[in-house]
């Protein structure tokens, strides 16, 4: 193409395209700068040279919306980054999606809350060093009038009552489900199972009373509030949303409402050992006494009570490990997937 | 209603106070979407020109496919690029998942059909008589093609604005490919989705207003280029 043939109008367009390309080069340059430094809540001292230099290592943590949306991980992130000089990149995805990303080798650490799904993940040889680090309780919330009359019941009995009255066509009885394969959705399914129902054949699509939102916890709460429905929620998201909802806690007690959060080092065959070691550092960081204390304090100022109860080494009743330092770098030979060969 | 008013007030405050996190997110949105528009333009405009100026079998079918892809859902474009860039995917060795560069690729894939299609429309809009005339005046084929492109440039820039608008406003691909990582891949749309799910409605609306504001700045800038 002869450049001199270009009219001034053409030159304008060429210049514009050049500008766009420069933009493209700029952005690819940006990817090599230190991320995680620009947050308003991160003190500028994280860039001070007296701290361990960022060695450019990036560690991707995939976590669940109910854990991330409370702000806990944003609060812990700079503490970990300062201690180890790495960039901790946190993506919040919902437990089902987070586990899927981990299986594909796209993240280095998991922080999730769905024990059954986690066990299947561990049995598949995808993870090592699973440690529980905190818990809280799911709660059943609903309209203050409690149209199904479930206040004071155990979760199973309450679910049976809602289902019975809903299926019978009583007006104004609704239950909103996350319906998104999240940790909270798994917990809900466990309660249906414990109540004696087959979830897919007896609960799903059994009538207008059962609403599958397919959304995050915040949106699900809003939907329940609009419909005057019951729903199962983690306490943290409910507290964060409380002011905008016409929902009150109806049921807050019951073993099935226990919500245990675990951290897992993701294992992938071609993963460099430094990555695994650094991920193990994060596991050890979360179960360390100092950070456990910080987890217990988190949210007290804003909500009047802590959002998470740290394990503090006492997790016998949860049948999980919260004390052994994370040191494995490969799945132990006791894995079913390996020993069955 | 109060939340909408609060949103405007908060948007104003965020802009006035130059909140560093908001500025950072806004700049990132702008850079990623401009880069995606640039990459898409470099692919789509020559592609549109090629399709317009060449005759070949299946041309009508190809144009139909391009126009159908205007409706490509952002989540599907995102998933497609996610599967390509994932460690378990064919381009996994590049390590581009959950990076701004990955997001540029995703948004470019999303808007290439729109840009190629708009280029085709723009070139078709040039009156046949103009090209006939200049050929009659003794112009070579190259000269004729360049004249047509010159005549069509306003409409092509219109297509670029449309593509940029689709890129900066989409949330599906940005969320799936970028992962909404704070300080790294969080852009205005994914921040809006997060703040909404956290119940910070006014802040979401404020960020939406800022997004529209920078879209206006870019549109005006492109018009100024066009006026030259």
């Amino acid at each position: 193409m002869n450049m001199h043939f270009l009219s001034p109008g053409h030159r304008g367009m060429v210049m514009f395209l050049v500008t766009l390309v420069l933009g493209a080069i700029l952005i690819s340059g940006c990817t090599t700068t230190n991320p995680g430094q620009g947050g308003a809540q991160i003190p500028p001292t994280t860039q001070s040279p007296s701290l361990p230099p960022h060695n450019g290592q990036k560690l991707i943590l995939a976590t669940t919306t109910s854990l991330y949306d409370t702000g806990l991980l944003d609060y812990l992130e700079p503490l970990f980054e300062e201690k180890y000089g790495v960039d901790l990149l946190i993506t919040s995805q919902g437990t089902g999606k987070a586990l899927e990303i981990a299986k594909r080798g796209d993240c280095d650490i998991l922080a999730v809350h769905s024990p059954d799904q986690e066990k299947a993940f561990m049995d598949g040889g995808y993870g090592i060093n699973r440690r529980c680090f905190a818990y809280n309780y799911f709660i059943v919330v609903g309209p203050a009038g409690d149209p199904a009359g479930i206040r004071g019941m155990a979760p199973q009995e309450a679910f049976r009552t809602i289902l019975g009255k809903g299926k019978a066509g009583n007006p104004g009885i609704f239950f909103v489900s996350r319906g998104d394969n999240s940790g909270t959705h798994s917990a809900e399914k466990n309660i249906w199972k414990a109540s004696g129902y087959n979830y897919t054949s007896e609960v799903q699509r059994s009538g207008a009373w059962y609403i599958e939102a397919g959304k995050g916890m915040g949106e699900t709460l809003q939907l329940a509030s609009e419909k005057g429905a019951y729903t199962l929620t983690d306490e943290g998201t409910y507290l964060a949303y409380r002011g905008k909802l016409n929902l009150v806690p109806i049921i807050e007690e019951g073993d099935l409402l226990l919500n245990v959060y675990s951290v897992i080092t993701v294992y992938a065959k071609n993963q460099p050992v430094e990555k695994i070691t650094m991920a193990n550092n994060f596991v050890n960081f979360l179960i360390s006494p100092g950070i456990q204390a910080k987890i217990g304090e988190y949210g007290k100022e804003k909500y009047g009570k802590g959002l998470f109860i740290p394990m503090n080494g006492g997790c016998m009743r949860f049948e999980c490990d919260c004390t052994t330092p994370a040191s494995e770098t490969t799945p132990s030979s006791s894995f079913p997937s390996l020993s069955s060969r | 209603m109060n939340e909408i008013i609060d949103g405007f007030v908060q948007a104003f405050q965020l802009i006035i106070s130059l909140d560093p996190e908001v500025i950072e997110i806004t700049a990132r949105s702008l850079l990623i979407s401009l880069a995606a528009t640039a990459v898409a333009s470099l692919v789509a405009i020559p592609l549109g020109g090629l399709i317009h100026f060449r005759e070949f079998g299946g041309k009508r079918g190809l144009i139909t496919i391009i126009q159908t892809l205007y409706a490509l859902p952002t989540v599907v474009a995102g998933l497609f690029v996610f599967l390509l860039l994932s460690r378990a995917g064919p381009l996994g060795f590049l390590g581009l998942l959950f990076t701004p560069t990955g997001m540029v690729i995703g948004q470019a894939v999303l808007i290439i059909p729109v840009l190629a299609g708009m280029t085709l429309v723009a070139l078709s809009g040039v009156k046949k008589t103009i090209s006939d005339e200049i050929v009659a005046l003794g112009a070579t084929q190259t000269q004729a093609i360049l004249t047509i492109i010159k005549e069509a440039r306003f409409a092509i820039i219109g297509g670029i604005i449309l593509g940029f608008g689709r890129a900066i406003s989409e949330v599906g691909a940005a969320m799936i490919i970028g992962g909404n990582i704070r300080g790294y891949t969080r852009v205005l749309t994914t921040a809006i989705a997060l703040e909404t799910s956290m119940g910070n409605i006014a802040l979401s609306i404020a960020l939406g207003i800022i997004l529209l504001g920078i879209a206006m700045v870019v549109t005006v800038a492109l018009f100024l280029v066009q006026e030259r």
Side-chain angles (χ1 to χ4, degrees):
Chain A
M1 191 197 283
N2 296 328
M3 284 307 281
H4 66 259
F5 193 81
L6 294 175
S7 70
H10 271 114
R11 251 180 255 133
M13 196 151 119
V14 169
M15 270 184 58
F16 164 67
L17 284 175
V18 167
T19 317
L20 286 186
V21 174
L22 284 177
I25 293 162
L26 235 150
I27 187 73
S28 55
C30 280
T31 62
T32 58
T33 59
N34 280 341
Q37 299 278 339
Q41 291 158 356
I42 300 173
T45 52
T46 48
Q47 277 169 338
S48 116
S50 65
L51 293 163
H54 276 209
N55 54 18
Q57 193 175 347
K58 286 175 184 151
L59 210 56
I60 299 177
L61 165 65
T63 186
T64 80
T65 46
S66 59
L67 197 53
Y68 188 79
D69 290 1
T70 58
L72 175 69
L73 292 168
D74 273 346
Y75 167 67
L76 298 177
E77 177 189 346
L79 304 175
F80 179 72
E81 289 184 336
E82 277 180 37
K83 188 163 179 193
Y84 291 99
V86 287
D87 290 327
L88 184 66
L89 305 177
I90 307 171
T91 178
S92 120
Q93 304 272 0
T95 296
K97 179 90 188 295
L99 289 167
E100 180 59 30
I101 286 172
K103 279 186 191 173
R104 303 181 65 90
D106 291 321
C107 67
D108 308 305
I109 324 166
L110 277 170
V112 288
H113 65 140
S114 181
D116 293 345
Q117 283 170 288
E118 289 162 35
K119 274 172 200 138
F121 180 84
M122 298 300 288
D123 287 346
Y126 298 109
I128 50 179
N129 301 313
R130 175 173 169 235
R131 301 288 182 269
C132 48
F133 65 92
Y135 68 98
N136 56 19
Y137 292 94
F138 290 113
I139 54 177
V140 178
V141 296
D146 189 18
I150 57 167
R151 194 172 266 119
M153 290 181 179
Q156 299 94 306
E157 195 189 350
F159 271 44
R160 276 195 289 267
T161 307
I162 295 173
L163 181 139
K165 291 190 175 172
K167 270 192 179 174
N170 285 304
I173 307 285
F174 296 104
F175 186 95
V176 180
S177 167
R178 285 281 293 274
D180 63 350
N181 210 20
S182 58
T184 308
H185 190 204
S186 298
E188 184 209 321
K189 286 190 266 191
N190 281 341
I191 300 176
W192 288 117
K193 199 171 150 196
S195 310
Y197 296 106
N198 179 314
Y199 181 67
T200 46
S201 66
E202 293 179 87
V203 180
Q204 281 184 307
R205 286 182 288 279
S206 69
W209 70 279
Y210 190 74
I211 301 162
E212 293 181 64
K215 295 222 173 75
M217 197 66 250
E219 283 108 324
T220 302
L221 281 168
Q222 283 187 323
L223 178 57
S225 180
E226 298 284 331
K227 291 284 290 183
Y230 295 97
T231 191
L232 183 74
T233 176
D234 65 287
E235 203 174 8
T237 312
Y238 172 71
L239 288 174
Y241 247 90
R242 186 170 44 183
K244 299 179 174 69
L245 302 171
N246 293 313
L247 298 172
V248 298
I250 306 277
I251 294 172
E252 300 178 84
E253 279 171 30
D255 286 350
L256 284 169
L257 297 179
L258 191 65
N259 183 23
V260 177
Y261 291 93
S262 294
V263 59
I264 300 171
T265 296
V266 176
Y267 176 76
K269 278 187 196 72
N270 300 324
Q271 189 86 319
V273 79
E274 309 89 74
K275 270 252 157 114
I276 291 176
T277 312
M278 191 52 81
N280 285 345
N281 284 341
F282 185 77
V283 174
N284 290 330
F285 169 82
L286 276 190
I287 61 175
S288 68
I291 296 303
Q292 287 276 299
K294 284 196 189 302
I295 291 172
E297 286 296 311
Y298 186 75
K300 274 190 181 161
E301 242 171 69
K302 193 169 171 190
Y303 303 112
K305 62 183 283 191
L307 298 183
F308 301 94
I309 305 159
M311 291 296 179
N312 278 332
C315 49
M316 283 294 286
R317 69 183 178 109
F318 304 122
E319 292 168 6
C320 59
D321 185 351
C322 58
T323 48
T324 315
S327 56
E328 287 177 9
T329 52
T330 54
S332 64
S333 54
S334 63
F335 268 100
S337 56
L338 295 174
S339 57
S340 62
R341 274 184 202 155
Chain B
M1 207 44 218
N2 279 343
E3 280 165 340
I4 297 173
I5 296 164
D6 284 354
F8 274 96
V9 172
Q10 212 165 332
F12 191 68
Q13 286 167 346
L14 286 172
I15 295 164
I16 296 294
S17 67
L18 299 174
D19 181 274
E21 187 154 16
V22 170
I23 288 172
E24 182 218 315
I25 291 172
T26 306
R28 186 178 302 116
S29 279
L30 195 59
L31 274 173
I32 288 175
S33 296
L34 277 178
T37 310
V39 171
S41 298
L42 289 177
V43 175
I45 294 173
L47 180 73
L50 227 94
I51 295 170
H52 179 78
F53 291 114
R54 294 280 161 83
E55 289 306 325
F56 54 89
K59 178 167 170 170
R60 189 58 243 171
L62 182 61
I63 293 174
T64 304
I65 290 171
I66 289 174
Q67 288 172 341
T68 304
L69 288 176
Y70 290 3
L72 181 66
T74 60
V75 176
V76 174
L79 264 180
F80 173 72
V81 175
F82 169 85
L83 291 172
L84 284 180
L85 298 182
S86 165
R87 295 266 174 211
L91 300 177
F93 63 94
L94 295 173
L96 288 178
L97 192 65
F98 301 137
T99 65
T101 312
M103 295 168 79
V104 169
I105 295 170
Q107 291 188 349
V109 166
L110 187 69
I111 63 172
I112 281 173
V114 180
L115 272 164
M118 292 308 285
T119 305
L120 278 168
V121 170
L123 294 174
S124 313
V126 177
K127 286 203 180 66
K128 186 91 176 69
T129 48
I130 292 176
S131 52
D132 286 348
E133 262 171 35
I134 51 171
V135 171
L137 289 168
T140 64
Q141 202 193 1
T142 314
Q143 286 169 330
I145 287 173
L146 285 172
T147 308
I148 294 171
I149 290 174
K150 183 187 159 194
E151 290 298 320
R153 70 181 188 278
F154 297 112
I156 292 176
I157 289 187
I160 292 173
I161 293 174
L162 193 65
F164 173 77
R166 183 155 155 82
I168 198 153
S169 63
E170 72 85 25
V171 61
M175 191 66 99
I176 292 174
I177 303 166
N180 192 26
I181 297 167
R182 182 174 173 205
Y184 191 45
T185 59
R186 182 163 301 167
V187 291
L188 282 166
T189 53
T190 59
I192 291 169
L194 176 68
E195 295 302 338
T196 304
S197 76
M198 287 166 69
N200 301 325
I201 309 294
L203 180 55
S204 297
I205 291 178
L207 293 172
I209 292 165
I210 291 172
L211 190 150
L212 285 175
I214 62 166
M216 193 170 80
V217 169
V218 170
T219 307
V220 168
L222 287 178
F223 266 116
L224 292 178
V225 168
Q226 183 175 288
E227 290 298 314
R228 283 168 55 115

